[in-house]
Amino acid sequence: MRPVSIQIQSVMDAFGQQGWQYEHLEDRDVIRTAFEAYHTQVHLHAQAFPQLNALSVVGETLMDLEVEQEPVVLELLARANKRITLGSLEYDLDRSQLMFRITNLFERDKFDPDIISSMVHAAIAEVDRITPYAAVIQQTSEDLLDDLSVERLLLRDDLIPPVPEYEDE
C-alpha cells in the first residue's frame, strides 16, 4: 500500500471541513461520494493528479436515453456549455451518465480548501441544473423529437432549481 499523496489528503481534509462523507479508493488518488441535490442524486468523484498539481471533480447522474434522444441531449449539452465559464457538461454514451467535469491546476502541493469546495458545489449544481432539461427530452416521444426546440427548452426558468437561502452567520 502506497502512502496517501499530499494532494488527495488536502482534498480529504477539505471534505472533512465541510462535513462531507466520502470513500477514499485505496492506492489511488481518488475519493468518491454522493450528494442529494434538488432534482437528482449526484455521484461525485475527485481525482488528484500529483505530478500536475491538478484536481478533477466529476459529478454524474444516470440518464437512460433512447438512441433517438441521444443527439438531442448532446445538442442540449453543447448549447448549455456555451454559457459555462469553467468546466463542461458531458454525456457518457457507454454508461448512460449525464456528467459535469471541472479541473483546476494548483500552485502548491496542498490544494486550497475553498477552491475544492467551489469545484464540488459547481459539479453538483451543474448536474442538478441540466437534469430536468435532459429529462424533458427523455420524456419526449420519438415522433415529437423533431418538433422540440432545444434553444427554447433552455429558456425555461421553471426547470431551474431554486437558489438555496443561507442564514446570516
Side-chain angles (χ1 to χ4, degrees):
M1 180 160 61
R2 69 179 174 92
V4 174
S5 71
I6 294 168
Q7 292 84 357
I8 199 66
Q9 183 63 56
S10 63
V11 175
M12 292 188 293
D13 293 345
F15 271 59
Q17 289 171 11
Q18 294 291 331
W20 297 333
Q21 299 294 315
Y22 62 87
E23 173 190 11
H24 176 236
L25 301 185
E26 195 172 309
D27 287 337
R28 299 185 62 197
D29 287 312
V30 177
I31 63 171
R32 66 180 171 198
T33 189
F35 292 91
E36 285 298 327
Y38 187 80
H39 290 292
T40 190
Q41 184 178 64
V42 178
H43 296 270
L44 186 133
H45 74 266
Q47 182 171 5
F49 297 90
Q51 65 278 20
L52 301 173
N53 263 359
L55 175 66
S56 181
V57 175
V58 178
E60 56 190 17
T61 193
L62 182 64
M63 178 68 60
D64 283 319
L65 299 171
E66 298 297 325
V67 164
E68 301 79 19
Q69 297 166 334
E70 288 175 354
V72 184
V73 166
L74 294 175
E75 177 188 350
L76 171 79
L77 300 179
R79 290 184 182 281
N81 276 333
K82 289 168 67 174
R83 300 179 184 173
I84 297 174
T85 305
L86 296 173
S88 65
L89 291 159
E90 305 170 19
Y91 184 73
D92 186 327
L93 295 164
D94 298 324
R95 297 183 314 122
S96 300
Q97 296 283 332
L98 195 60
M99 304 167 51
F100 179 79
R101 179 187 320 268
I102 186 168
T103 302
N104 192 66
L105 299 174
F106 292 85
E107 290 182 25
R108 296 189 172 88
D109 289 347
K110 185 172 170 143
F111 299 165
D112 182 296
D114 291 335
I115 295 174
I116 295 167
S117 295
S118 293
M119 292 172 72
V120 169
H121 284 288
I124 296 165
E126 292 298 339
V127 169
D128 196 48
R129 181 182 67 84
I130 203 67
T131 295
Y133 294 99
V136 167
I137 296 166
Q138 182 186 42
Q139 295 162 8
T140 300
S141 62
E142 180 184 345
D143 59 326
L144 296 177
L145 279 174
D146 287 340
D147 296 331
L148 182 67
S149 167
V150 173
E151 288 177 280
R152 290 187 60 210
L153 176 61
L154 282 169
L155 295 175
R156 288 187 54 187
D157 290 340
D158 62 309
L159 298 177
I160 298 173
V163 176
E165 294 182 23
Y166 297 100
E167 293 183 26
D168 294 333
E169 295 181 53

